[in-house]
Amino acid sequence: MASRSLLPLLLGTLGALCYHKAYGISVKTDNQHVTAKEFQEAMLSCKYSAGKGIIPRVEWKKLTTRDVSFVYYKGDLVGDLKGRAEMIDSSIRIRNVTRKDSARYRCEVSAPTARGQNLAETIVTLTVLVASAAPSCEVPSSAMSGTVVQLSCKENEGSPASEYKWYRNGVALLENTGTGSAKIGNISYTMNKKTGTLLFNTVSKKDTGEYYCEASNGIGLPQKCSVKRMQVDDLNISGIIAAVVVVALVMALCGLGVFYAHKKGYFSKESSSQKKSSDYKYTPSEKDFKHTKSFVI
């Protein structure tokens, strides 16, 4: 009884194996993660095996976060790769990749069978390496000692993302592993090589110097921004006190002048003269009256 119940299972398994051999499709790639420098060559590998008598259809699609588009359809390269790529069997060779080519690509192999459409696929990720561009640096031209000062450095072209290093008077500023803070002599700062910021929590006069930043991602040569000077000056306490004293003296003299003028009655005389002028009433003379009368006649 047990042998009879196992017989259908064995026959079903054998039938499935025979069907896969006759009608099945399998797809693979030699490299799932392809990297290439910009404007160089890249190969997107896709290999398939199909059963006897099957004529499969091969399609390539570009997958981005925004949409899915064909790059190989109905036997022709289309879209972004048209004119700068070629098919080698079912693989794509891109002759000069650009940063816009960085994406996931899906190779789809399909064929109609007696049991319906048979489909197999594989995905290849292409990463285009782009050298760092010259960064943009922001360095304040002047600062007061004891204040917080931040220098920034950034570039957006490099792939992978760039890391940053700051220089003062041509000497690289060091970074402690983990904390990202360092102290050289009396210079205290925090440098973040990922974001490109250089932060002085309490800048001092000894931090005066010429600064520039360097961006690098291992692709091509490091790039740097133009040199900018930061001048740090101590707070002039004596000058501030002198200015306050001068202002106070000026205000005191103005007050004394107003008091003296009021005491001498300058303001009251002016008021009385204004009052007299406002009380004066115009009385027409006899001559004016005659002139008016003659005009009426």
Side-chain angles (χ1 to χ4, degrees):
M1 294 293 294
S3 60
R4 290 181 180 179
S5 60
L6 289 174
L7 183 60
L9 180 61
L10 293 173
L11 291 175
T13 303
L14 181 61
L17 292 173
C18 292
Y19 170 79
H20 179 78
K21 184 175 181 181
Y23 301 103
I25 297 175
S26 62
V27 179
K28 67 176 183 177
T29 179
D30 293 336
N31 190 357
Q32 288 186 328
H33 301 280
V34 179
T35 59
K37 293 182 179 180
E38 191 172 29
F39 308 123
Q40 293 188 359
E41 179 183 301
M43 176 68 76
L44 308 182
S45 169
C46 179
K47 297 180 179 180
Y48 68 87
S49 61
K52 186 177 180 180
I54 295 179
I55 302 176
R57 181 179 66 184
V58 178
E59 295 175 346
W60 277 89
K61 296 177 181 178
K62 182 179 181 180
L63 316 177
T64 66
T65 55
R66 294 174 296 182
D67 58 9
V68 178
S69 58
F70 281 102
V71 292
Y72 182 73
Y73 181 65
K74 291 185 178 181
D76 290 317
L77 287 161
V78 296
D80 295 339
L81 300 185
K82 186 175 183 179
R84 58 188 184 91
E86 61 179 340
M87 294 297 298
I88 300 178
D89 295 330
S90 53
S91 300
I92 298 179
R93 184 175 75 91
I94 307 175
R95 290 188 290 270
N96 56 334
V97 295
T98 67
R99 63 194 68 188
K100 293 182 179 180
D101 294 329
S102 290
R104 296 166 65 240
Y105 294 83
R106 184 169 65 211
C107 174
E108 300 177 357
V109 181
S110 61
T113 66
R115 297 189 180 185
Q117 191 77 1
N118 197 347
L119 173 67
E121 63 184 37
T122 187
I123 292 180
V124 180
T125 301
L126 173 62
T127 302
V128 179
L129 306 177
V130 182
S132 302
S136 174
C137 299
E138 294 184 6
V139 180
S141 59
S142 61
M144 298 301 294
S145 60
T147 60
V148 178
V149 176
Q150 178 173 291
L151 285 64
S152 62
C153 178
K154 190 67 176 176
E155 75 86 25
N156 298 312
E157 298 295 325
S159 176
S162 297
E163 292 189 351
Y164 304 93
K165 183 184 295 185
W166 278 96
Y167 291 79
R168 174 180 172 271
N169 297 330
V171 180
L173 298 180
L174 301 179
E175 179 186 28
N176 286 347
T177 305
T179 61
S181 62
K183 187 171 183 179
I184 306 173
N186 294 326
I187 303 176
S188 297
Y189 58 83
T190 301
M191 183 170 56
N192 190 324
K193 66 180 182 179
K194 297 293 184 181
T195 62
T197 57
L198 178 63
L199 178 65
F200 293 91
N201 291 316
T202 52
V203 70
S204 66
K205 195 170 183 179
K206 293 183 179 180
D207 295 325
T208 295
E210 296 182 339
Y211 290 83
Y212 70 88
C213 168
E214 190 177 78
S216 176
N217 64 353
I219 311 299
L221 298 175
Q223 301 293 319
K224 66 179 183 179
C225 64
S226 58
V227 178
K228 297 182 179 181
R229 181 174 179 80
M230 182 176 70
Q231 180 67 41
V232 182
D233 295 316
D234 292 330
L235 192 63
N236 192 350
I237 302 297
S238 59
I240 294 175
I241 295 175
V244 171
V245 170
V246 170
V247 172
L249 288 174
V250 171
M251 293 180 66
L253 290 173
C254 291
L256 288 173
V258 172
F259 175 76
Y260 179 79
H262 188 273
K263 187 176 181 181
K264 290 295 183 179
Y266 293 135
F267 295 114
S268 59
K269 289 181 180 179
E270 183 181 356
S271 300
S272 61
S273 64
Q274 290 178 353
K275 184 176 181 181
K276 288 179 179 180
S277 63
S278 62
D279 292 341
Y280 175 75
K281 294 183 179 180
Y282 174 75
T283 303
S285 63
E286 185 179 353
K287 186 178 180 180
D288 294 336
F289 177 77
K290 290 180 179 180
H291 179 76
T292 305
K293 186 176 179 179
S294 63
F295 178 75
V296 171
I297 293 173

